[in-house]
């Protein structure tokens, strides 16, 4: 970030994509009103502000190679997100970022990658996978197994892209739902059960997990049973935040701040910080 950490950059909403059948998750494509988009990496987040209402943190859903725009996928929850959803194309919002640490891509180099995501927290994993599927970065990691689960098929984000990823080389896409509807022919099971059933090789692999807390809680033992060590499992944490830069103390985990020292931690780090894992 080149400017003062509390000063939002004005961004224009260039496009809005209605992602899911419940119409409560929108992807906002933002372009700067002036200046450049500060460089960021998958795993980082930004605070988006609606002027006069407040701000809230969102993981970058776009990948840095998508020049000139950034994308955030936002579920309607409360004050800020409801107002964001009310804005139309052309409206101006504020953006502070990038904040937090990215996925440590140097730790992924030459390894197979097991990506496990659930619900709308998949946004940040979309950034990671899109980045690694670029021509420039596809050689950075080996085989990619992507597990992604939602409650029902209408809730998958980025459906056109998921279709394209099915044909990507050296890439296995494993989609699952909790409850099927008419056209769904894939698995109907929870994400941790699908990971267990597929049992991807962990011989030379690392895993990345991001999703609702129960999905994370039940996925971690599966990954460990498959042979991954606690420093080979990376978890992107979501917590209530305010300042996003380690000053307000709203997001502490022991002596560390999720906004500044995270949101990406290894399982080893999380176990040293809290009893929850
Ligand atoms: C690092 C990070 C990345 C995130 N990325 C995304 C993203 O890509 N897309 C997205 O839609 N959301 C994301 N979130 C969650 C998002 O920040 C919250 O949904 C948002 O702050 C809600 O703001 P609000 O003003 O609309 O709701 P509020 O009025 O503040 O709260 C409405 C309801 O949402 C609950 N809530 C608020 N914050 C959170 C939270 N962090 N986790 C769970 N429940 C919460 C409150 O308890 C309350 O019940 C992320 C959060 C973090 C910390
Ligand atoms: S949000 Fe203020 S310290 Fe993390």
């Amino acid at each position: 970030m080149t400017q003062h950490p509390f000063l939002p950059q004005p961004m224009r909403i260039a496009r809005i994509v209605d992602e899911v059948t419940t119409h409560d998750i929108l992807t906002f494509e933002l372009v700067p009103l002036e200046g450049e988009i500060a460089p960021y990496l998958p795993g980082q987040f930004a605070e988006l502000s609606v002027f006069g209402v407040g701000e809230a943190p969102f993981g970058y859903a776009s990948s840095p190679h998508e020049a000139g725009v950034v994308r955030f996928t936002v579920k309607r929850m409360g004050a800020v997100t409801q107002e964001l959803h009310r804005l139309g194309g052309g409206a101006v919002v504020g953006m502070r970022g990038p904040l937090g640490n990215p996925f440590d891509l140097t730790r992924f180099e030459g390894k197979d990658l097991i990506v496990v995501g659930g619900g709308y927290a998949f946004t940040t994993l979309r950034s990671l996978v899109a980045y690694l599927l670029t021509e420039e970065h596809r050689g950075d990691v080996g085989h990619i197994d992507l597990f992604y689960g939602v409650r029902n098929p209408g809730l998958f984000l980025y459906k056109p892209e998921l279709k394209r990823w099915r044909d990507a080389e050296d890439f296995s896409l494993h989609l699952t739902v909790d409850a099927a509807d008419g056209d769904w022919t894939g698995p109907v099971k929870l994400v941790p059960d699908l990971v267990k059933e597929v049992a991807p090789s962990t011989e030379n692999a690392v895993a990345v997990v991001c999703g609702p807390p129960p999905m994370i809680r039940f996925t971690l033992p599966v990954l460990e049973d498959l042979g991954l060590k606690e420093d080979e499992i990376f978890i992107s944490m979501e917590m209530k935040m305010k300042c996003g830069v380690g000053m307000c103390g709203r997001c502490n985990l022991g002596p560390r701040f999720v906004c500044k020292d995270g949101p990406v931690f290894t399982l080893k780090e999380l176990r040293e910080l809290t009893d929850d894992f």
Side-chain angles (χ1 to χ4, degrees):
M1 201 162 33
T2 50
Q3 55 190 12
H4 189 282
F6 287 131
L7 194 65
Q9 179 181 17
M11 305 288 287
R12 184 173 56 80
I13 301 175
R15 200 164 76 99
I16 299 174
V17 179
D18 187 1
E19 294 281 357
V20 295
T21 45
T22 44
H23 308 294
D24 59 349
I25 305 182
L26 302 179
T27 293
F28 295 88
E29 198 171 292
L30 307 180
V31 294
L33 271 195
E34 55 186 54
E36 310 254 303
I37 292 167
Y40 67 95
L41 281 171
Q44 290 188 289
F45 68 96
E47 292 271 352
L48 293 187
S49 46
V50 181
F51 301 115
V53 180
E55 58 177 2
F58 302 98
Y60 286 86
S62 49
S63 152
H65 73 276
E66 295 165 50
V69 297
V70 277
R71 287 193 187 84
F72 296 92
T73 301
V74 176
K75 181 169 164 70
R76 194 170 58 229
M77 295 288 285
V80 173
T81 51
Q82 268 171 30
E83 281 307 311
L84 265 174
H85 275 231
R86 271 196 206 119
L87 298 175
V92 175
V93 296
M95 180 178 95
R96 287 197 292 126
L99 303 168
N101 67 5
F103 294 109
D104 184 355
L105 297 166
T106 58
R107 300 276 311 276
F108 299 1
E109 263 169 36
K111 305 264 186 184
D112 293 337
L113 190 61
I114 302 166
V115 182
V116 186
Y120 67 95
F122 185 69
T123 58
T124 192
L125 298 178
R126 186 268 161 195
S127 173
L128 175 68
V129 172
Y131 178 85
L132 290 172
L133 287 182
T134 57
E135 218 175 300
E136 196 185 344
H137 292 286
R138 186 60 193 93
D140 295 356
V141 297
H143 188 83
I144 301 175
D145 274 288
L146 171 59
F147 296 86
Y148 174 26
V150 290
R151 286 201 313 276
N152 63 65
L155 297 182
F156 281 114
L157 302 175
Y158 320 126
K159 293 179 191 73
E161 196 159 39
L162 291 176
K163 261 191 196 146
R164 286 200 301 278
W165 288 356
R166 278 211 178 280
D167 301 323
E169 230 172 89
D170 217 2
F171 185 97
S172 306
L173 180 64
H174 312 279
L175 301 181
T176 185
V177 296
D178 298 353
D181 62 15
D183 295 336
W184 181 253
T185 53
V188 182
K189 56 184 69 185
L190 299 174
V191 170
D193 295 336
L194 185 63
V195 177
K196 194 172 178 174
E197 185 183 292
V198 173
S201 166
T202 56
E203 204 172 297
N204 178 39
V206 292
V208 177
V209 184
C210 187
M215 188 212 83
I216 296 181
R217 195 164 53 249
F218 290 107
T219 298
L220 295 176
V222 174
L223 292 172
E224 289 193 288
D225 284 351
L226 288 173
L228 286 174
K229 300 194 190 70
E230 56 183 10
D231 63 349
E232 294 170 331
I233 301 174
F234 297 80
I235 301 155
S236 179
M237 297 283 291
E238 282 195 8
M239 236 183 176
K240 288 195 186 162
M241 291 183 184
K242 185 107 181 134
C243 70
V245 291
M247 290 178 80
C248 73
R250 291 283 175 95
C251 68
N252 69 301
L253 215 49
R256 313 266 299 268
F257 294 116
V258 174
C259 68
K260 194 160 163 266
D261 304 312
V264 181
F265 295 93
T266 62
L267 177 57
K268 185 171 192 298
E269 289 170 320
L270 286 176
R271 284 189 175 148
E272 285 162 4
L273 291 170
T274 151
D275 294 335
D276 293 350
F277 294 87

